[in-house]
């Protein structure tokens, strides 16, 4: 008779013991499944929250003399964990129509119109114009056409007022020009400055919020702002002959990875990073971090407690039972049944019960896990987070949305069940082995002497 | 030819006093041996050594001419030896049939019937059998293992006179009809009278009575 059959017969005939062990393993199984599913639920919820918190960082490379090139930007973009990006540069230029006539700009309400800026405005170059802070925070909205996206060349998105005032439409071409005053201020400009660039209007925007009253000069007015592609900007303000950016913003998948990503970037040798300033924008995440960690730590702590208590309980009970079966062990040993075979029988007995207990636990854990998860969620008191978009939290008028950790998707998955079976079997292996050591160390004669 | 042979076997519990002193003996198949001796003289220890439950302090024990230590004690117990204990030592959660089937190399039912158990008794829980019936199961288990040597430690010690006589008779048949070497440790003079060879263990020495 093999050990599996002996184990099966033992479990069936010793119904009282089997039922007791079944109950204990059922409770252990339910607790483990509950913890595993809540832990996974909190991890997913925490990741969702972190992703909603939209961590980002900026690189200010104004002092790097054009080292933040498009190639560098693309290399950073390829790094795992970077969600999206926007390269940005800005300056001022004079606006001229296709046939060379200066465009009329908004001057009404300005404190002063600077010399040489009578037909000028702010030129903003973006890889993705929709991701510019003016669009994400300051109420700019595209009303016609399309935005600028990475790879566009000689394109522009202009204000609705400027378009109407100068009778410009999508598809029209305008020129951006650096006049004498601007060239004299453009300290980095080299001798072969191409001071005129033609751009085609591909989109028209409107500003839905009033401009802060601190803006006094006409060329800084929203109405006089033109978004262009980085290629056009690099031609108008060339540095080292390549496409470059003054600043870049990178949105990350998970704010937790911000520091590691910045460190990784600083270890690349593309740019003299000491001339660049890195700024993290993760105030929301920092605010939420403590609460998220508390919940995860609470569940992990519970998991370890359950594992430790389960192991101790199992070892104790199995040790008592195996010791009470020393007589049986001696008889088997006298019959030439090896110690390994006897240990395997004990293991099989518990494993057979565990399979039934864990299967039942899997069937009834889902509701329990959900209930306990909701209770823990309340206990951990994770607050609501105000989430700002892809930008400096200090900015005013920022768009906000509320992210709440009031619900977790807790369900017992196949992965949790496999995990419980694995952890449970390991626990049983450990418990049975430890419990059986004192008996199995004895010689058969010693065992029989103890019992006869 | 002897199936079991003891050569200069000595045994001490604490390396000081020898319980068994320089024992030399040969046991053959087809014979029923009885080992007599006062309590504590080392009878059960001698049986343990023959059965590979323990190892002698000195000397060797040969089975079919081979040193049992070299054969492996567990292997020796499994293949060559069958034990019958005074307290029967049946597995309490198995039926008589399953107890016999534990190490059975032969079909259990005919053997159980051979030792006198009914079909109803065969299916019953072993703890619900009488002492005599339990000892019959133990004998059946020993026979079913097809071991050449049966070692019995006070097999009739817990039984009434009539049942003891029946068990003795079965053991005798095992030796004579099945060509087993049956070695019985006993205090019972009745049982010893039935033996082919009676050995006396006194002061650590084994002598034929």
């Amino acid at each position: 008779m093999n050990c599996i059959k002996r184990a099966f017969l033992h479990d069936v005939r010793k119904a009282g013991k089997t039922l007791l062990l079944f109950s204990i393993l059922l409770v252990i199984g339910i607790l483990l499944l509950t913890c595993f599913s809540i832990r996974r639920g909190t991890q997913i919820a925490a990741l969702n929250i972190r992703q909603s918190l939209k961590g980002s960082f900026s690189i200010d490379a104004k002092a790097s003399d054009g080292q933040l090139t498009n190639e560098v930007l693309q290399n950073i973009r390829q790094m795992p964990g970077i969600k999206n990006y926007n390269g940005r540069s800005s300056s001022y230029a004079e606006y001229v129509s296709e046939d060379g006539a200066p465009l009329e700009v908004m001057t009404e309400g300005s404190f002063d119109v600077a010399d040489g800026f009578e037909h000028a405005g702010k030129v903003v170059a973006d890889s993705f114009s929709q991701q510019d802070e003016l669009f994400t925070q300051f109420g700019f909205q595209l009303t016609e056409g399309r935005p600028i996206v990475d790879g566009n060349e000689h394109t522009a998105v202009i204000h609705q007022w400027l378009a109407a005032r100068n009778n410009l439409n999508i598809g029209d071409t305008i020129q951006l020009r650096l006049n004498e005053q601007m060239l004299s201020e453009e300290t980095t400009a080299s001798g072969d400055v191409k001071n005129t660039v033609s751009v085609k209007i591909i989109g028209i925007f409107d500003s839905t919020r009033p401009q802060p009253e601190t803006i006094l000069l006409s060329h800084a007015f929203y109405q006089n702002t033109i978004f262009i592609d980085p290629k056009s900007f690099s031609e108008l303000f060339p540095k080292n002959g390549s496409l470059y950016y003054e600043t870049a913003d990178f949105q990350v998948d998970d704010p937790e990875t911000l520091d590691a990503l910045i460190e990784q970037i600083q270890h690349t040798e593309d740019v003299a990073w000491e001339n660049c300033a890195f700024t993290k924008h993760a105030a929301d995440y920092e605010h939420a971090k403590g609460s998220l960690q508390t919940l995860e730590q609470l569940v992990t702590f519970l998991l370890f407690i359950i594992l430790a208590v389960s192991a101790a309980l199992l070892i104790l009970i199995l040790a008592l039972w195996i010791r009470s079966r020393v007589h049986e062990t001696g008889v088997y040993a006298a019959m030439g049944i090896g110690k390994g075979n006897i240990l395997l029988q004990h293991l099989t007995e518990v494993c057979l019960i565990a399979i039934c207990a864990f299967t039942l636990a899997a069937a009834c854990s889902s509701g329990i896990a959900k209930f306990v998860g909701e209770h823990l969620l309340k206990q951990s008191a994770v607050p609501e987070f105000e989430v700002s978009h892809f930008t400096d939290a200090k900015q005013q008028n920022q768009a906000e949305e509320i992210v709440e950790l009031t619900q977790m998707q807790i369900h017992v998955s196949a992965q949790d069940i496999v995990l419980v079976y694995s952890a449970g079997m390991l626990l049983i292996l450990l418990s049975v082995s430890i419990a059986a050591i004192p008996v199995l160390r004895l010689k058969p004669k010693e065992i029989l002497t103890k019992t006869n | 030819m002897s199936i079991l042979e003891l050569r200069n076997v000595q045994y001490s519990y604490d390396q000081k006093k020898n319980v068994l002193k320089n024992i030399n003996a040969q046991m053959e198949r087809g014979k029923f041996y009885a080992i007599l001796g006062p309590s504590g003289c080392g009878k059960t220890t001698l049986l343990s050594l023959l059965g590979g439950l323990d190892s002698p302090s000195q000397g060797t024990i040969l089975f079919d001419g081979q040193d049992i230590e070299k054969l492996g004690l567990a292997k020796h117990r499994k293949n060559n030896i069958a034990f019958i204990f005074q307290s029967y030592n049946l597995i309490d959660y198995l039926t008589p049939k399953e107890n016999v089937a534990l190490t059975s190399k032969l079909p259990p039912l005919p053997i159980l019937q051979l030792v006198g158990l009914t079909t109803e008794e065969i299916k019953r829980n072993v703890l619900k059998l009488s002492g005599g019936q339990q000892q019959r199961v133990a004998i059946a288990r020993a026979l079913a293992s097809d071991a050449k040597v049966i070692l019995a430690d006070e097999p009739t010690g817990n039984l009434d006179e009539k049942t003891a006589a029946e068990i003795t008779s079965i053991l005798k048949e095992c030796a004579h009809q099945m060509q087993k070497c049956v070695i019985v440790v006993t205090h019972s003079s009745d049982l010893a009278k039935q033996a082919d060879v009676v050995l006396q263990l006194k002061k650590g020495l084994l002598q034929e009575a």
Side-chain angles (χ1 to χ4, degrees), chain A residues 54-57 73 76-79 81-87 127-128 131 136 248-253 390:
Chain A
K54 291 185 173 64
S56 67
F57 66 92
L73 215 68
I76 297 173
R77 170 70 186 96
Q78 298 304 317
M79 287 180 175
I82 300 285
K83 199 169 168 183
N84 50 39
Y85 73 101
N86 184 38
S127 312
F128 299 91
Q131 287 185 23
T136 57
D249 292 325
F250 294 92
Q251 195 173 4
V252 298
D253 288 324
F390 193 45

Side-chain angles (χ1 to χ4, degrees), chain A residues 1 6 9-10 13-14 325 327-328 331-337 345 349 443-445 448 452, chain B residues 11 13 45 48 53-54 74 77-78 83 85 87 89 91-95 98 101-103 141:
Chain A
M1 188 186 287
R6 292 201 309 267
L9 290 171
H10 176 270
R13 307 267 166 80
K14 299 278 181 180
R325 291 171 69 185
H327 164 84
E328 181 191 332
V331 175
Y332 283 140
M335 285 191 284
I337 295 174
Q345 182 191 335
E349 286 166 8
K443 286 181 182 175
K445 190 195 167 195
L448 287 168
N452 284 320
Chain B
Y11 187 86
Y13 289 111
T45 300
S48 300
L53 290 172
D54 204 350
R77 291 196 300 270
K78 187 176 183 184
F83 282 97
F85 300 96
S87 53
N89 281 351
I91 305 297
D92 62 358
Y93 54 84
L94 300 178
T95 62
E98 287 158 356
L102 273 173
T103 55
R141 187 173 66 187

Side-chain angles (χ1 to χ4, degrees), chain A residues 59-369:
Chain A
I59 303 173
D60 185 342
K62 281 175 190 155
S64 75
D65 199 25
Q67 283 188 46
L68 191 61
T69 61
N70 194 47
E71 193 187 349
V72 172
L73 215 68
Q74 294 306 325
N75 286 343
I76 297 173
R77 170 70 186 96
Q78 298 304 317
M79 287 180 175
I82 300 285
K83 199 169 168 183
N84 50 39
Y85 73 101
N86 184 38
R88 189 179 198 263
S89 303
S90 68
S91 191
Y92 297 94
E94 192 173 50
Y95 304 152
V96 183
S97 69
E98 196 173 12
D99 52 14
L103 296 184
E104 191 178 337
V105 297
M106 167 73 94
T107 53
E108 194 182 323
S110 76
F111 174 75
D112 190 19
V113 179
D115 285 346
F117 285 79
E118 294 84 357
H119 303 283
K122 190 174 186 180
V123 178
V124 180
D126 280 305
S127 312
F128 299 91
S129 61
Q130 286 296 97
Q131 287 185 23
D132 192 278
E133 61 182 17
L134 290 167
F135 278 93
T136 57
Q137 298 170 47
F138 294 93
F140 282 26
Q141 279 180 1
L142 192 73
T143 54
E144 211 178 320
R146 67 168 181 87
I148 292 164
V149 293
D150 200 20
N152 284 171
E153 292 183 9
H154 302 116
T155 50
V157 175
I158 67 169
H159 196 281
Q160 195 171 284
W161 183 92
L162 192 69
R165 198 71 171 185
N166 296 284
N167 201 25
L168 293 168
N169 292 303
I170 287 175
D172 291 345
T173 301
I174 57 169
Q175 293 180 63
L176 309 178
R177 190 168 69 187
L178 300 185
N179 58 31
E180 291 302 319
Q181 284 87 345
M182 290 167 181
L183 279 173
S184 65
E185 284 179 17
E186 187 57 46
T187 53
T188 54
S190 56
D192 58 345
V193 164
K194 183 184 176 183
N195 62 357
T196 304
V197 167
S198 293
V199 289
K200 189 176 173 182
I201 299 166
I202 60 163
I204 292 171
F205 69 89
D206 192 14
S207 49
T208 58
R209 295 187 202 173
Q211 196 159 7
E213 288 176 3
T214 50
I215 304 295
L216 301 171
L217 298 170
S218 67
H219 56 264
F221 280 171
Y222 282 169
Q223 290 84 346
N224 303 333
T225 301
I226 293 183
F227 293 91
I228 60 170
D229 57 85
K231 166 88 171 160
S232 303
F233 190 88
S234 299
E235 285 177 7
L236 196 61
F237 304 96
K239 282 177 184 170
N240 308 324
S242 59
L243 203 155
Y244 72 93
Y245 302 90
E246 290 176 347
T247 62
D249 292 325
F250 294 92
Q251 195 173 4
V252 298
D253 288 324
D254 183 353
E256 202 169 59
T257 60
L258 266 177
D259 288 328
L261 276 168
I262 290 172
E263 200 181 329
Q264 197 183 341
I265 291 164
Q266 287 172 334
H267 276 93
T268 59
E269 293 173 354
D270 301 329
V271 177
W273 293 114
E274 61 273 17
N275 296 326
C276 303
F278 284 80
T279 311
K280 286 192 291 176
H281 307 291
D284 299 323
Y285 167 67
E286 293 299 332
H287 172 64
K289 197 175 171 182
S291 301
L292 292 174
Q293 278 177 346
T294 304
L295 188 61
E296 277 191 50
Q297 281 167 356
L298 187 67
V299 177
T300 308
F301 176 71
L302 271 177
L303 191 64
F304 278 109
I305 291 285
I306 288 167
L307 278 170
V309 171
S310 304
L313 191 68
L314 270 181
I315 290 169
L316 188 70
I317 289 173
L318 292 174
L320 287 172
W321 284 5
I322 290 174
R323 212 160 288 180
S324 74
R325 291 171 69 185
V326 66
H327 164 84
E328 181 191 332
T329 307
V331 175
Y332 283 140
M335 285 191 284
I337 295 174
K339 289 176 179 177
N341 194 291
I342 298 168
L343 181 67
L344 201 61
Q345 182 191 335
H346 293 320
L347 258 176
T348 311
E349 286 166 8
V350 186
C351 286
L352 287 174
I353 300 168
I355 289 168
C356 302
F358 292 159
T359 305
L360 185 63
C364 60
S365 283
S366 210
I368 297 168

Side-chain angles (χ1 to χ4, degrees), chain B residues 45-73:
Chain B
T45 300
L46 179 61
L47 212 64
S48 300
L49 297 179
L50 289 170
L53 290 172
D54 204 350
S55 302
S57 308
Q58 277 183 39
T60 50
I61 298 168
L62 306 176
F63 178 87
D64 240 352
Q66 282 187 292
D67 187 348
I68 61 168
E69 293 278 352
K70 288 177 184 165
L71 271 173
L73 295 183

